[in-house]
Amino acid sequence: MLFRSGTNDYPYSSVATAVANLSSSDNPENTVYLLSNIKTEVIFSNNELVLTIEGNNHGSRMQFDGDGTHRCFKLDAGDVTVRNVVFTKGRINGSLGGGILVQNPESKLTLDHCDIVNNVIENSMHMGGAGISIGYAAKVTMLNCIVSDNSLINPNGGAYGGGIQLITSGQNRSEEHTSELQSPNTNS
């Protein structure tokens, strides 16, 4: 069993089931708790989604594990906070974001005490962000996170960003937008 939303006795069997049942559950915080590692790509694409994923299970941090065959996590739209999770072994061929892809302006992701490690992009051409790729005008906040040991394999012509790729302008867009990688002010 992967998630619970309210009880340990009856956890949900998948990410999709947990999210679908949030609005009908007795869970005003919209929080789901990982009970085991996730080895399938998790994709969120609902603009109205507000969700927190907690990965601390009795002192152990759970993983979004790409198993060396797929991306770990993709946020197309919504407001998602992920705490105490390791994104690892994501692998994508010729695209962005081996570990995490936050692609659209409608996307807001907060990572709190997360590690993004050992993710790979292969055969990329002008692609990057093996750890995390933050798309044009997407909003990402990283608090107490570690990004390490992410790599590009066989980069073709201008691939970059083994750890973090931040796209600061969009193609064929008439509006002015900027991507944001927010960091808390630690001087106060």
Side-chain angles (χ1 to χ4, degrees), residues 109-113 140-146 180-188:
L109 177 64
T110 300
L111 300 171
D112 185 1
H113 288 87
V140 173
T141 302
M142 299 174 77
L143 306 166
N144 301 303
C145 294
I146 294 172
E180 298 177 26
L181 179 60
Q182 301 172 351
S183 177
N185 183 352
T186 56
N187 295 329
S188 46

Side-chain angles (χ1 to χ4, degrees), residues 11-181:
Y12 292 117
S13 60
S14 72
V15 174
T17 303
V19 171
N21 285 288
L22 280 175
S23 60
S24 63
S25 72
D26 186 21
N27 186 354
E29 296 86 25
N30 277 353
T31 301
V32 290
Y33 299 87
L34 293 178
L35 297 179
S36 63
N37 295 333
I38 306 298
K39 289 201 171 206
T40 59
E41 182 178 4
V42 176
I43 301 173
F44 294 108
S45 57
N46 180 345
N47 279 337
E48 297 179 16
L49 177 70
V50 177
L51 172 69
T52 298
I53 298 171
E54 175 59 58
N56 187 352
N57 185 14
H58 304 291
S60 296
R61 290 191 324 159
M62 297 297 100
Q63 297 180 354
F64 283 98
D65 184 341
D67 205 26
T69 61
H70 57 272
R71 179 184 293 121
C72 300
F73 187 91
K74 182 178 179 182
L75 180 62
D76 280 334
D79 182 348
V80 177
T81 297
V82 181
R83 289 190 187 110
N84 300 305
V85 169
V86 178
F87 298 88
T88 189
K89 298 182 213 158
R91 188 179 204 97
I92 200 84
N93 191 350
S95 187
L96 301 166
I100 302 170
L101 177 59
V102 185
Q103 192 163 305
N104 295 320
E106 296 84 17
S107 304
K108 181 179 178 189
L109 177 64
T110 300
L111 300 171
D112 185 1
H113 288 87
C114 292
D115 293 350
I116 304 168
V117 296
N118 298 317
N119 297 288
V120 173
I121 294 177
E122 287 186 277
N123 304 313
S124 57
M125 180 171 284
H126 306 292
M127 306 292 182
I132 180 172
S133 179
I134 303 166
Y136 176 67
K139 293 165 186 65
V140 173
T141 302
M142 299 174 77
L143 306 166
N144 301 303
C145 294
I146 294 172
V147 179
S148 70
D149 299 319
N150 299 286
S151 57
L152 302 172
I153 298 175
N154 300 323
N156 298 315
Y160 49 87
I164 299 173
Q165 178 189 37
L166 180 63
I167 300 170
T168 58
S169 66
Q171 296 178 349
N172 302 320
R173 305 244 186 180
S174 60
E175 305 160 290
E176 286 289 321
H177 292 287
T178 59
S179 297
E180 298 177 26
L181 179 60

